[in-house]
């Protein structure tokens, strides 16, 4: 039986919660951090921690990359304090857009419901990577020209080049505390990148420029 969009997104939220919980153990966090956006076959320390949380949902490399991005953080909240990604201006979520779809979906919808309260917000009103990169410029002082070039470059890359760049970028954002990404939304985008790159890339660019314009206009 095909997995529905709602079930996939519940899984993405739950996966993020499970990885954050795993990262409470320093040794496990180090194992997950060892992925560096690499292909699954090169991530020998990660399967024992992640396999049971991915089973039935495919897109292993997307899951591994997001787990390694989460593991870059040293100050994430755990079970008692659900993770909240950073938002643009309070009360001003992004406009809803259509969701990437594919012809097929994994076949096992099993798994617990998401624990994070971010799941209560409409999915496309949650920040994607484009939104977060605009926040980094408007709120954390990253250079606009440099970040704009990064956005344009990232959205042109195929999976094999995109994932390592995301790991490097997240480390750069972390250096100024600007990497509180909505990892579940990023996970969905990476999971469907090979099928819907043009659509997802266009949304990242549009949300980057829209969010940057909105946030900088409010500060002026």
């Amino acid at each position: 039986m095909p997995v529905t969009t709602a079930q996939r997104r519940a899984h993405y939220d739950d996966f993020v919660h499970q990885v954050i919980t795993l990262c409470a153990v320093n040794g496990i966090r180090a194992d997950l951090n060892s992925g560096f956006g690499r292909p699954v076959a090169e991530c020998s320390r990660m399967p024992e921690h992640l396999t049971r949380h991915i089973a039935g949902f495919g897109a292993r490399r997307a899951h591994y990359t997001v787990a390694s991005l989460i593991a870059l953080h040293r100050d994430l909240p755990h079970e008692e304090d659900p993770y909240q990604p950073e938002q643009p201006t309070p009360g001003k979520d992004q406009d809803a857009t259509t969701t990437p779809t594919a012809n097929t979906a994994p076949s096992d919808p099993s798994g617990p419901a998401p624990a994070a309260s971010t799941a209560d917000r409409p999915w496309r009103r949650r920040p994607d990577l484009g939104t977060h990169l605009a926040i980094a410029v408007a709120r954390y002082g990253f250079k606009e020209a440099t970040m704009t070039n990064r956005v344009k470059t990232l959205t042109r890359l195929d999976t094999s080049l995109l994932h390592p760049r995301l790991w490097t970028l997240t480390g750069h954002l972390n250096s100024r505390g600007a990497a509180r990404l909505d990892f579940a939304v990023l996970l969905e985008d990476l999971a469907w990148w090979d099928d819907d790159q043009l659509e997802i890339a266009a949304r990242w660019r549009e949300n980057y420029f829209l969010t940057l314009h909105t946030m900088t206009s409010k500060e002026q």
Side-chain angles (χ1 to χ4, degrees), residues 54-106:
I54 299 173
F57 288 92
R60 288 189 302 157
R61 184 165 189 183
H63 285 81
Y64 275 50
T65 292
V66 168
S68 71
L69 298 182
I70 293 171
L72 282 172
H73 293 263
R74 295 181 176 272
D75 59 348
L76 291 176
H78 300 293
E79 295 180 6
E80 72 284 354
D81 187 13
Y83 174 76
Q84 293 292 325
E86 187 161 13
Q87 301 291 320
T89 307
K92 297 292 183 182
D93 294 319
Q94 295 302 103
D95 292 336
T97 62
T98 56
T99 302
T101 57
N103 294 328
T104 58

Side-chain angles (χ1 to χ4, degrees), residues 158-170:
D158 62 20
T159 293
S160 64
L161 296 176
L162 175 63
H163 287 234
R165 290 287 190 95
L166 289 177
W167 195 89
T168 303
L169 173 61
T170 302

